[in-house]
């Protein structure tokens, strides 16, 4: 019998159905924060329900933003009463970002443009994740950022900012976004150049809220001091959550799944191409009526599987989907990934914990300094896998366990609440 925080996963005899995954977490954070900085009332439908976005809502509320919920025909509707650029108020206590690196890093950029000092804290996992990569460019803009050994707890002493031209040394949509959010409050223009394309949700959201923004390949320019206008936002389904169901359907013989209303932003759908390379049948139908963020339906069906090597240049577009692809690799395809050292500074050390968990389930897996290999040469036996408090690993181990000979136990399964509170209930339905 499992205990709280543990889930038993049995081998799947059947897998299939239609799923509408929760709203995209990345888009939800941006809608909440830009709504808070805009003038007027922003309405958000499909907001991500997990713990990370609850952290963002709580921090914004502590900064004087009124956020309320109502019920519409399709579920919860959130209303954000914007305070305008520079209009947030000093919090009475440290802002708790929980487990959310997005919350912490985005708020560092926002707070840099406010003339007060605020403290940011997080849970034990978040307090190990690097914040210097955000603190350094914000310091160049004029903010004073204090960290604890480069991590949280941190203090942000905001004030007058000046626009900068910043060339990012690493690929990080969170760093890019933090600098652009600070740039909204800065004098002059702020330019961010990235070494490779990362997800562009911030650029799309800034345009939707009326910012003065110019986007070129690998380069974004935002003008400071231009007021934002409230917007109506409908958040599409999270492709990173959908990737786990897609992986299960690709791996289990006879399986198929349809993912409705999922975000089809090109910076988030690289995993669909990898699924096809691994041998899955993938069909995409786009909804031409979608707004700033494209969406549509994705169907995935099991066919023959093949080994795949993911190159470093492909990693930025796959960083959150790599655990799902690793789970699929255990079904016989095999997978090798290099150039993914960023996985070591996620909610866990995702390279070490991923390899350890898959091995515990019976996989032939190997850890590299900047990646991993899963051979896919033998069927999993089942076992006990520890998700290390990481929501994506909990979901990856559950998907892998569906293909094992015997039952498996996932420890730390409660972490799925960070992004997908109903994950295990949906898994049971699809296997029913």
């Amino acid at each position: 019998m499992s205990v709280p925080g543990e889930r038993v996963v049995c081998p799947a005899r059947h897998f299939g159905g239609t799923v509408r995954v929760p709203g995209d977490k990345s888009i939800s954070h941006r809608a909440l924060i830009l709504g808070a900085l805009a003038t007027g009332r922003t309405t958000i439908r499909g907001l991500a329900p997990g713990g990370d976005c609850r952290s963002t809502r709580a921090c914004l509320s502590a900064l004087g933003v009124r956020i309320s919920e109502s019920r519409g025909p399709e579920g919860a509707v959130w209303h954000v009463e914007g305070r305008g650029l520079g209009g947030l108020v000093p919090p009475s206590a440290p802002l708790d970002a929980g487990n959310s690196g997005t919350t912490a890093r985005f708020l560092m950029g926002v707070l840099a443009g406010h003339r007060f000092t605020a403290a940011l804290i997080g849970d034990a996992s978040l307090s190990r994740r690097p914040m210097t990569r955000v603190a350094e460019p914000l310091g160049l803009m004029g903010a004073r950022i204090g960290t604890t050994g480069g991590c949280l707890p941190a203090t942000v002493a905001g004030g007058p900012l000046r626009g900068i031209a910043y060339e990012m040394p690493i690929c990080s949509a969170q760093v890019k976004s933090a600098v652009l959010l600070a740039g909204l409050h800065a004098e002059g223009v702020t330019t961010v150049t990235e070494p490779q394309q990362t997800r562009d949700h911030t650029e799309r959201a800034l345009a939707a809220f009326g910012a003065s923004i110019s986007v070129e390949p690998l380069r974004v320019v935002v003008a400071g001091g231009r007021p934002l206008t409230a917007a109506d936002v409908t958040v599409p389904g999270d492709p990173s959550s959908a990737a786990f169901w897609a992986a299960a359907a690709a791996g289990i013989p006879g399986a198929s799944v349809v993912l409705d209303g999922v975000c089809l932003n090109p910076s988030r759908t690289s995993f669909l191409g990898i699924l096809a390379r691994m041998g899955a049948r993938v069909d995409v139908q786009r909804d031409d009526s979608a707004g700033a963020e494209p969406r549509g339906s994705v169907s995935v069906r099991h066919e023959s599987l093949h080994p795949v090597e993911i190159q470093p240049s492909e990693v930025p577009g796959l960083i959150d989907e790599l655990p799902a692809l690793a789970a699929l690799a255990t079904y016989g395809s095999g997978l090798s990934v290099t150039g993914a050292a960023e996985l070591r500074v996620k909610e866990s050390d995702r390279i070490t914990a991923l390899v350890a968990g898959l091995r515990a389930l019976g996989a032939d897996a190997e850890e590299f300094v900047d990646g991993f290999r899963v051979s896919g040469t033998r069927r999993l036996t089942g076992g006990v896998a520890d998700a290390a408090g990481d929501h994506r690993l909990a979901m990856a181990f559950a998907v892998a366990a569906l293909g094992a000979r015997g039952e498996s136990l996932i420890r730390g399964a409660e972490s799925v609440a960070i992004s997908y509170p109903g994950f295990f209930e949906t898994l049971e339905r699809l296997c029913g």
Side-chain angles (χ1 to χ4, degrees):
M1 179 179 293
S2 63
V3 300
E6 297 181 348
R7 293 298 290 250
V8 173
V9 179
C10 296
R13 297 182 180 180
H14 165 82
F15 187 89
T18 299
V19 183
R20 184 173 287 268
V21 295
D24 184 78
K25 189 158 63 88
S26 297
I27 297 170
S28 295
H29 285 297
R30 290 157 171 84
L32 288 167
I33 289 173
L34 291 179
L37 299 177
T39 300
R41 170 184 274 199
T42 288
T43 300
I44 308 172
R45 295 173 176 82
L47 190 76
D52 279 6
C53 286
R54 287 199 301 271
S55 293
T56 292
R57 293 204 313 265
C59 289
L60 292 174
S61 295
L63 291 164
V65 181
R66 183 184 173 193
I67 303 174
S68 59
E69 180 186 8
S70 63
R71 303 299 298 183
E74 297 183 0
V77 180
W78 291 89
H79 309 280
V80 182
E81 306 293 343
R83 298 188 63 92
L85 290 180
L88 302 181
V89 302
S92 59
L95 300 169
D96 188 352
N99 188 246
S100 176
T102 303
T103 302
R105 290 170 178 146
F106 282 21
L107 286 181
M108 289 175 73
V110 170
L111 293 169
H114 286 76
R115 301 190 182 200
F116 55 77
T117 298
L120 277 165
I121 61 174
D123 67 10
S125 171
L126 181 57
S127 297
R128 292 190 296 267
R129 298 176 67 180
M131 296 294 155
T132 302
R133 55 180 60 178
V134 175
E136 287 180 347
L138 296 181
L140 295 174
M141 299 178 78
R144 289 174 290 136
I145 314 290
T147 65
T148 304
C151 302
L152 297 183
T155 58
V156 181
L161 301 181
R162 57 184 175 276
I164 60 171
Y166 185 62
E167 294 192 8
M168 292 173 51
I170 61 170
C171 290
S172 172
Q174 291 183 3
V175 175
K176 173 177 66 174
S177 300
V179 175
L180 292 174
L181 288 169
L184 292 173
H185 301 82
E187 181 180 353
V189 300
T190 296
T191 303
V192 179
T193 303
E194 51 188 344
Q196 290 177 244
Q197 177 69 52
T198 61
R199 58 185 62 177
D200 66 349
H201 298 308
T202 298
E203 294 94 309
R204 291 172 182 262
L206 285 170
F209 279 85
S212 176
I213 183 171
S214 171
V215 180
E216 302 171 6
L218 304 182
R219 185 171 179 266
V220 186
V221 181
V222 65
R226 308 288 178 86
L228 303 180
T229 303
D232 288 339
V233 180
T234 299
V235 180
D238 181 10
S240 298
S241 295
F244 293 98
W245 306 133
I252 298 171
S256 65
V257 70
V258 176
L259 305 161
D260 273 345
V262 70
C263 178
L264 295 177
N265 182 311
S267 68
R268 298 288 301 284
T269 55
S270 296
F271 77 96
L272 296 176
I274 302 298
L275 287 177
R277 276 165 51 187
M278 294 174 85
R281 172 69 181 269
V282 180
D283 295 302
V284 177
Q285 291 187 338
R286 298 184 180 276
D287 179 357
D288 293 333
S289 66
E293 292 283 356
R295 74 187 68 208
S297 174
V298 178
S299 63
V300 181
R301 188 174 70 198
H302 171 82
E303 290 189 359
S304 61
L305 295 176
H306 317 293
V308 164
E309 293 185 9
I310 293 177
Q311 302 299 321
S313 61
E314 298 177 286
V315 167
L318 295 167
I319 196 70
D320 285 338
E321 293 76 42
L322 289 174
L325 295 172
L328 173 57
T330 66
Y331 284 84
S333 63
L335 180 70
S336 179
V337 178
T338 55
E342 184 70 11
L343 288 175
R344 294 197 181 277
V345 291
K346 292 291 185 178
E347 285 85 338
S348 67
D349 180 337
R350 275 191 188 151
I351 294 177
T352 294
L354 176 64
V355 170
L358 292 179
R359 283 177 174 171
L361 296 177
D364 178 6
E366 180 182 2
E367 175 181 348
F368 308 144
V369 171
D370 64 342
F372 59 88
R373 176 192 60 80
V374 181
S375 72
T377 55
R378 63 191 186 212
R379 186 178 179 184
L380 299 186
T381 57
V384 179
D386 187 348
D390 191 319
H391 58 127
R392 300 204 193 279
L393 295 190
M395 291 186 277
F397 297 152
V399 167
L402 294 176
R405 290 192 179 92
E407 71 177 28
S408 300
L409 182 69
I410 314 300
R411 288 183 174 153
E414 77 283 356
S415 60
V416 299
I418 292 296
S419 60
Y420 200 155
F423 174 83
F424 283 102
E425 291 72 21
T426 300
L427 183 146
E428 291 177 3
R429 176 173 65 83
L430 293 172
C431 291

